[in-house]
Amino acid sequence: MSSFLHGCRYFILPLLITFIALILIQVTEASWQIWYAIIAQLPYWLLSIAAAMALQFNRSRLACLALLLVAFYMSKQSSAQVFTMVNNHTDELFIGGAIVISWFAFIKDRGLVSSHGILRALGIMIGLGLGFIWLEVIERFQAEIIEKSPVNVTSQTLTLAPIICCLILVFFRAMWRANLVNTAILTTLGIWVFYYFQPDAFPLAVLLSSLAVIYLFTILIDSYFLAYRDELTGLASRRALYNLVLSLGRKYSVAMLDIDHFKKFNDTYGHDVGDQVLKLVAAKMAQVSGGGKVFRYGGEEFTIVFPRKNAQTILDDLEDVRESIEDYSIVLREDKRTKKSNSQAKARRSKSKNAGKKTVSVTISIGVAERHSGESFDQALKRADQALYRAKKRGRNQICI
Ligand SMILES: Nc1nc2c(ncn2[C@@H]2O[C@H](COP(=O)(O)OP(=O)(O)OP(=O)(O)O)[C@@H](O)[C@H]2O)c(=O)[nH]1
């Protein structure tokens, strides 16, 4: 998947959906207002469920955020003495909260019942403390800072400086490392800041319930990808292949693809470069035409299923894939190369393109089988595998039926 598509799927699309959902919630306010007594209880339930699920699926950052938001909601709903103290320091809590949320965008998910849990708790306290420290510093040295500043700053800009920094940092983090968790954290920060400046635009219960739903979707979609996507190549996994098989009709063709002499390639260039090449080759396969669905079967083997197609009609599509991989000059990152080129290896280096940089190329062999009447998927796949074996025997870099 190109980085643009990846960015759209994990960054732009979720933000857009959240934005549209919030607008819809506002537009339909009259219809849900009558349910407000129930809605007011929702954040407790939804955020607790999100926290429990996040812990179950090792998304500890979302779990922490959900629990912190429950505590925040409780402080807003309760009149207990301890919460009155909290509510008297709204500005400090706002800045500290934004720092804590942003910090979560830059750390990894770790088990909470471990030393990491203690570090997380410490980090949260430090983040919240920084909110207090910042406002104290601004109050004391405001005049001095404004006077000495080379650019024109107001006291409000100074107060909000950490928030602006947090928003910029988390925005770029979520954009460059586009994944659903980072986008959920950016959304949390956005809603946190929005609520501070526009507390009456939406009831807090609605905002927090929306966030809980976002967390739940993030966890569910993430787990789906974990189960059905191959982590290295981003292609659908073998499990996804057998899921597709359940919905295949009687007519289909299947192709097995295998990178030629990949063991030698690994031995020559190292496993890291091998991984790099697997990813790039997979990206080329993903562009197959003819309605082919591509899966990483395992190791350096891939499967393409063509529903409703016979073997003859897909040969051109597969030939295009084979050629595009053969012609592909893969630029190696110098530091990843471990050994010099081995003339025995099929991987070829050329300096023609990308002058000054080392390039390699690989070839693939392909075996194709069309489902025969009464045959199971595994039987068709086995025949594709036998055809692949013939392609290897005949000299590789070719297709056999
Ligand atoms: N870098 C890397 N290598 C892998 C991965 N999975 C499998 N391999 C390697 O792929 C190689 C497969 O080697 P073989 O099955 O012997 O076949 P081959 O060398 O490709 O030779 P032919 O298939 O006969 O052309 C092994 O060296 C595996 O270690 C992976 O995820 N990353």
Side-chain angles (χ1 to χ4, degrees):
M1 192 176 9
S2 75
S3 56
F4 174 73
L5 277 181
H6 184 88
C8 285
R9 184 183 279 187
Y10 297 107
F11 179 67
I12 299 172
L13 196 66
L15 287 182
L16 204 68
I17 292 173
T18 308
F19 185 69
I20 294 171
L22 285 176
I23 289 179
L24 282 178
I25 289 171
Q26 193 165 48
V27 170
T28 55
E29 188 176 359
S31 55
W32 52 258
Q33 270 296 349
I34 45 168
W35 302 101
Y36 192 72
I38 297 172
I39 291 173
Q41 298 305 313
L42 276 184
Y44 293 121
W45 290 102
L46 289 178
L47 284 168
S48 303
I49 294 170
M53 281 190 65
L55 280 178
Q56 183 66 27
F57 287 96
N58 274 330
R59 294 286 175 264
S60 62
R61 291 177 296 164
L62 292 187
C64 283
L65 281 174
L67 293 175
L68 287 173
L69 290 173
V70 171
F72 177 67
Y73 187 59
M74 214 181 262
S75 77
K76 291 285 168 191
Q77 298 292 96
S78 163
S79 53
Q81 182 66 27
V82 58
F83 292 131
T84 320
M85 248 169 60
V86 172
N87 286 329
N88 285 342
H89 295 96
T90 319
D91 295 340
E92 290 87 342
L93 192 67
F94 166 60
I95 294 175
I99 292 171
V100 171
I101 297 168
S102 307
W103 174 62
F104 278 117
F106 291 90
I107 59 172
K108 289 184 178 165
D109 283 309
R110 300 272 190 213
L112 286 185
V113 193
S114 66
S115 56
H116 292 291
I118 299 167
L119 288 176
R120 299 275 179 282
L122 211 66
I124 292 167
M125 283 193 281
I126 292 173
L128 291 174
L130 284 175
F132 284 81
I133 293 171
W134 180 256
L135 287 187
E136 189 65 33
V137 168
I138 292 301
E139 202 177 308
R140 286 198 190 179
F141 303 106
Q142 181 171 277
E144 223 171 305
I145 298 171
I146 291 176
E147 195 189 302
K148 288 189 179 160
S149 167
V151 285
N152 215 357
V153 285
T154 63
S155 74
Q156 204 194 10
T157 323
L158 273 182
T159 312
L160 296 179
I163 305 298
I164 298 164
C165 289
C166 285
L167 279 170
I168 293 172
L169 286 174
V170 178
F171 180 84
F172 280 108
R173 172 77 173 171
M175 199 166 78
W176 297 132
R177 299 283 304 261
N179 62 53
L180 289 178
V181 175
N182 280 347
T183 307
I185 293 174
L186 174 65
T187 311
T188 309
L189 182 62
I191 285 181
W192 181 258
V193 175
F194 176 77
Y195 177 70
Y196 180 76
F197 287 108
Q198 299 286 325
D200 301 323
F202 286 96
L204 184 59
V206 170
L207 289 178
L208 294 186
S209 301
S210 310
L211 269 182
V213 171
I214 291 169
Y215 291 180
L216 287 169
F217 269 108
T218 300
I219 296 159
L220 283 177
I221 296 170
D222 246 18
S223 322
Y224 172 85
F225 282 133
L226 217 61
Y228 290 103
R229 290 269 146 195
D230 170 56
E231 207 183 346
L232 178 71
T233 60
L235 290 180
S237 63
R238 190 197 296 210
R239 184 177 296 184
L241 170 66
Y242 281 96
N243 219 22
L244 172 83
V245 169
L246 301 175
S247 61
L248 275 178
R250 289 169 183 213
K251 184 177 174 184
Y252 59 84
S253 292
V254 55
M256 284 298 286
L257 302 86
D258 185 288
I259 304 177
D260 297 327
H261 296 301
F262 199 55
K263 185 174 181 321
K264 278 182 191 162
F265 189 94
N266 269 335
D267 293 346
T268 307
Y269 296 100
H271 207 267
D272 283 350
V273 177
D275 278 358
Q276 203 184 318
V277 167
L278 268 178
K279 267 193 208 172
L280 297 170
V281 165
K284 286 277 173 197
M285 289 181 188
Q287 290 168 4
V288 66
S289 52
K293 297 182 190 307
V294 188
F295 302 85
R296 184 176 182 197
Y297 192 75
E300 27 60 279
E301 278 193 315
F302 299 84
T303 307
I304 307 185
V305 179
F306 293 86
R308 298 176 299 281
K309 294 278 176 81
N310 60 42
Q312 285 302 327
T313 55
I314 59 168
L315 288 182
D316 285 347
D317 303 308
L318 290 170
E319 185 57 23
D320 287 347
V321 172
R322 190 198 62 73
E323 264 177 30
S324 72
I325 291 172
E326 184 184 22
D327 296 342
Y328 188 19
S329 287
I330 301 166
V331 181
L332 289 187
R333 288 198 292 267
E334 289 292 311
D335 53 335
K336 295 273 181 183
R337 286 173 63 241
T338 52
K339 292 182 187 173
K340 289 204 163 179
S341 174
N342 178 344
S343 60
Q344 294 282 302
K346 283 286 170 195
R348 289 176 277 118
R349 289 164 44 181
S350 93
K351 290 185 181 176
S352 52
K353 290 181 193 174
N354 301 300
K357 289 183 176 169
K358 297 284 181 291
T359 64
V360 294
S361 62
V362 291
T363 58
I364 57 165
S365 300
I366 305 176
V368 186
E370 172 185 321
R371 179 185 177 264
H372 292 163
S373 142
E375 207 178 35
S376 71
F377 178 79
D378 279 333
Q379 285 166 327
L381 192 71
K382 193 169 176 193
R383 283 193 300 104
D385 207 32
Q386 286 161 352
L388 171 65
Y389 182 72
R390 286 198 296 278
K392 294 270 180 187
K393 278 259 165 192
R394 287 180 193 170
R396 297 178 171 83
N397 191 22
Q398 57 186 281
I399 306 176
C400 271
I401 301 189

